[in-house]
Amino acid sequence: GYVGSPDMSVVCEHLLDGIDAQYQIQVAEMNREGKEWVLLDKSQKELGRFDWLCVRSHTVGHSRWQQVFGFPPPLKTTSEKITSL
């Protein structure tokens, strides 16, 4: 495995080098449609379609997400829907 230093977010930062990454946008749902990732906000508005998905925080899969934001953690719901990539 890989270990980022000083933390694991460095791994995603390296993978995103040269990519126009967007931050401060809350993703409520991540769906796999064919070969694309489709990201939606909590109003089900499409945020974009992407070839790759790089998650740099465990909070999108944490059980407390529901308590804080009022809807299930996107990474957990996504992993339950996907049987294979």
Side-chain angles (χ1 to χ4, degrees), residues 6-55:
D7 56 37
M8 288 303 289
S9 67
V10 171
V11 175
C12 282
E13 289 171 12
H14 177 73
L15 291 171
L16 294 171
D17 187 38
I19 302 292
D20 181 24
Q22 301 293 313
Y23 300 95
Q24 305 301 320
I25 298 172
Q26 187 179 52
V27 174
E29 194 172 328
M30 300 175 281
N31 296 313
R32 187 76 171 167
E33 292 183 10
K35 294 184 177 186
E36 292 181 312
W37 286 102
V38 182
L39 305 184
L40 306 171
D41 68 10
K42 62 183 177 181
S43 301
Q44 297 297 297
K45 177 185 170 200
E46 187 174 304
L47 299 171
R49 293 174 174 263
F50 307 92
D51 296 328
W52 295 91
L53 182 64
C54 182
V55 179

Side-chain angles (χ1 to χ4, degrees), residues 38-80:
V38 182
L39 305 184
L40 306 171
D41 68 10
K42 62 183 177 181
S43 301
Q44 297 297 297
K45 177 185 170 200
E46 187 174 304
L47 299 171
R49 293 174 174 263
F50 307 92
D51 296 328
W52 295 91
L53 182 64
C54 182
V55 179
R56 66 177 272 178
S57 173
H58 70 282
T59 57
V60 294
H62 200 281
S63 58
R64 281 186 293 211
W65 180 279
Q66 176 103 27
Q67 296 168 336
V68 175
F69 299 110
F71 55 92
L75 192 58
K76 184 176 186 307
T77 56
T78 299
S79 67
E80 291 169 350

